[in-house]
Coordinates of all heavy atoms in Angstrom, one line a residue:
R12 N -67.7 85.8 -258.7 CA -66.6 84.8 -259.0 C -66.8 84.1 -260.4 O -65.8 83.7 -261.0 CB -66.3 83.9 -257.9 CG -66.0 84.5 -256.6 CD -65.9 83.5 -255.5 NE -65.5 84.2 -254.2 CZ -65.5 83.6 -253.0 NH1 -65.7 82.4 -252.9 NH2 -65.3 84.4 -251.9
Q13 N -68.0 84.1 -260.9 CA -68.2 83.5 -262.1 C -67.7 84.4 -263.4 O -67.4 83.8 -264.5 CB -69.8 83.4 -262.4 CG -70.6 84.7 -262.5 CD -72.0 84.5 -262.7 OE1 -72.4 83.9 -263.6 NE2 -72.7 85.2 -261.7
Y14 N -67.2 85.5 -263.1 CA -66.6 86.5 -264.1 C -65.1 86.3 -264.1 O -64.5 87.2 -264.8 CB -67.1 87.9 -263.8 CG -68.6 88.1 -263.9 CD1 -69.4 88.5 -262.7 CD2 -69.3 87.5 -264.9 CE1 -70.7 88.7 -262.8 CE2 -70.9 87.7 -265.0 CZ -71.4 88.1 -263.9 OH -72.9 88.2 -263.9
A15 N -64.6 85.5 -263.3 CA -63.1 85.4 -263.2 C -62.5 84.8 -264.5 O -63.2 84.0 -265.3 CB -62.6 84.4 -262.1
I16 N -61.4 85.3 -264.9 CA -60.7 84.7 -266.1 C -59.2 84.4 -265.9 O -58.7 84.7 -264.8 CB -60.7 85.7 -267.3 CG1 -60.1 87.1 -266.9 CG2 -62.2 86.0 -267.7 CD1 -59.9 88.1 -268.0
S17 N -58.6 83.9 -266.7 CA -57.1 83.7 -266.7 C -56.4 84.5 -267.8 O -56.9 84.6 -268.9 CB -56.7 82.2 -266.8 OG -57.0 81.5 -265.7
L18 N -55.3 85.1 -267.5 CA -54.6 85.9 -268.4 C -53.1 85.3 -268.3 O -52.5 84.8 -267.3 CB -54.5 87.3 -267.9 CG -55.8 88.1 -268.0 CD1 -55.6 89.5 -267.2 CD2 -56.2 88.5 -269.3
T19 N -52.4 85.3 -269.5 CA -51.0 84.9 -269.6 C -50.2 86.0 -270.2 O -50.5 86.5 -271.4 CB -51.0 83.7 -270.5 OG1 -51.7 82.6 -269.8 CG2 -49.5 83.1 -270.5
D20 N -49.1 86.4 -269.6 CA -48.3 87.5 -270.1 C -47.3 87.1 -271.2 O -47.3 85.8 -271.4 CB -47.4 88.0 -268.9 CG -48.2 88.8 -267.9 OD1 -49.4 89.0 -268.0 OD2 -47.5 89.5 -267.0
S21 N -46.7 88.0 -271.7 CA -45.8 87.7 -272.8 C -44.5 87.0 -272.2 O -44.0 86.2 -273.0 CB -45.2 89.0 -273.4 OG -44.6 89.7 -272.5
D22 N -44.3 86.9 -270.9 CA -43.2 86.2 -270.3 C -43.7 84.7 -269.7 O -43.0 84.2 -269.1 CB -42.5 86.9 -269.3 CG -43.3 87.4 -268.1 OD1 -44.4 87.0 -268.0 OD2 -42.8 88.2 -267.3
G23 N -45.1 84.5 -270.0 CA -45.5 83.3 -269.5 C -46.1 83.3 -268.1 O -46.7 82.3 -267.7
T24 N -46.1 84.4 -267.4 CA -46.8 84.6 -266.2 C -48.2 84.5 -266.2 O -48.9 85.1 -267.1 CB -46.3 85.8 -265.5 OG1 -44.8 85.9 -265.3 CG2 -46.9 86.0 -264.1
H25 N -48.9 83.7 -265.3 CA -50.3 83.5 -265.4 C -51.0 84.5 -264.3 O -50.4 84.6 -263.2 CB -50.7 82.2 -265.0 CG -50.3 81.1 -266.0 ND1 -50.6 81.2 -267.4 CD2 -49.3 80.1 -265.8 CE1 -49.9 80.1 -268.1 NE2 -49.3 79.5 -267.2
L26 N -52.0 85.2 -264.7 CA -52.7 86.1 -263.8 C -54.2 85.7 -263.6 O -54.8 85.1 -264.6 CB -52.6 87.5 -264.4 CG -51.2 88.1 -264.9 CD1 -51.5 89.3 -265.5 CD2 -50.3 88.1 -263.6
S27 N -54.8 86.1 -262.5 CA -56.1 85.9 -262.3 C -56.8 87.4 -262.6 O -56.0 88.4 -262.5 CB -56.5 85.6 -260.8 OG -57.9 85.7 -260.5
G28 N -58.0 87.4 -263.2 CA -58.5 88.7 -263.6 C -60.0 88.5 -263.5 O -60.5 87.4 -263.3
L29 N -60.7 89.8 -263.6 CA -62.1 89.7 -263.5 C -62.6 90.7 -264.6 O -62.0 91.7 -264.9 CB -62.5 90.4 -262.1 CG -63.8 90.1 -261.5 CD1 -64.2 88.6 -261.3 CD2 -64.1 90.9 -260.3
V30 N -63.7 90.2 -265.4 CA -64.3 91.0 -266.4 C -65.7 91.1 -266.1 O -66.6 90.2 -265.9 CB -64.2 90.2 -267.7 CG1 -64.9 91.1 -268.8 CG2 -62.8 90.1 -268.2
L31 N -66.1 92.4 -265.8 CA -67.5 92.8 -265.5 C -68.1 93.6 -266.6 O -67.5 94.4 -267.2 CB -67.5 93.6 -264.2 CG -66.9 93.1 -262.9 CD1 -66.8 94.0 -261.9 CD2 -67.5 91.7 -262.5
G32 N -69.3 93.1 -267.1 CA -70.0 93.8 -268.2 C -69.4 93.4 -269.5 O -68.5 92.5 -269.6
S33 N -69.9 94.0 -270.6 CA -69.5 93.6 -271.9 C -69.7 94.8 -272.7 O -70.3 95.9 -272.3 CB -70.3 92.5 -272.5 OG -71.6 92.7 -272.4
G34 N -69.2 94.8 -274.1 CA -69.5 95.9 -275.0 C -68.2 96.5 -275.4 O -67.1 96.1 -275.1
P35 N -68.4 97.5 -276.4 CA -67.2 98.1 -277.0 C -66.5 99.1 -276.3 O -65.5 99.7 -276.6 CB -67.8 98.7 -278.4 CG -69.3 99.1 -277.8 CD -69.7 97.8 -277.0
K36 N -67.1 99.6 -275.2 CA -66.5 100.6 -274.4 C -65.7 100.0 -273.2 O -66.5 99.5 -272.2 CB -67.6 101.7 -273.8 CG -68.2 102.4 -274.9 CD -69.2 103.4 -274.5 CE -69.9 104.2 -275.5 NZ -70.8 105.3 -274.9
G37 N -64.5 99.9 -273.2 CA -63.8 99.2 -272.1 C -63.1 100.1 -271.2 O -62.5 101.2 -271.5
V38 N -63.0 99.5 -270.0 CA -62.2 100.2 -268.9 C -61.3 99.2 -268.3 O -61.7 98.2 -267.8 CB -63.1 100.9 -267.8 CG1 -62.4 101.4 -266.7 CG2 -64.1 101.9 -268.5
L39 N -60.0 99.6 -268.1 CA -59.2 98.7 -267.5 C -58.7 99.4 -266.2 O -58.2 100.6 -266.3 CB -57.8 98.3 -268.3 CG -56.9 97.4 -267.8 CD1 -56.2 96.6 -269.0 CD2 -55.7 98.0 -266.8
L40 N -58.7 98.7 -265.1 CA -58.3 99.2 -263.7 C -57.3 98.4 -263.1 O -57.3 97.3 -262.9 CB -59.5 99.4 -262.8 CG -60.7 100.1 -263.4 CD1 -62.0 99.9 -262.5 CD2 -60.4 101.6 -263.5
A41 N -56.0 99.0 -262.8 CA -54.8 98.5 -262.3 C -54.7 98.7 -260.8 O -54.4 100.0 -260.6 CB -53.6 98.7 -263.2

């Protein structure tokens, strides 16, 4: 849970998200 983040869409909608790991190789899972 320490890796939780907040995101805000272009229409102002707020989202909860999770970021695991770091670095230049990114993976997004929807």
Side-chain angles (χ1 to χ4, degrees):
R12 293 175 187 175
Q13 62 183 304
Y14 304 122
I16 64 168
S17 290
L18 299 164
T19 302
D20 287 9
S21 60
D22 61 8
T24 301
H25 300 300
L26 309 174
S27 174
L29 199 62
V30 178
L31 305 176
S33 60
K36 296 181 177 181
V38 179
L39 188 152
L40 301 172

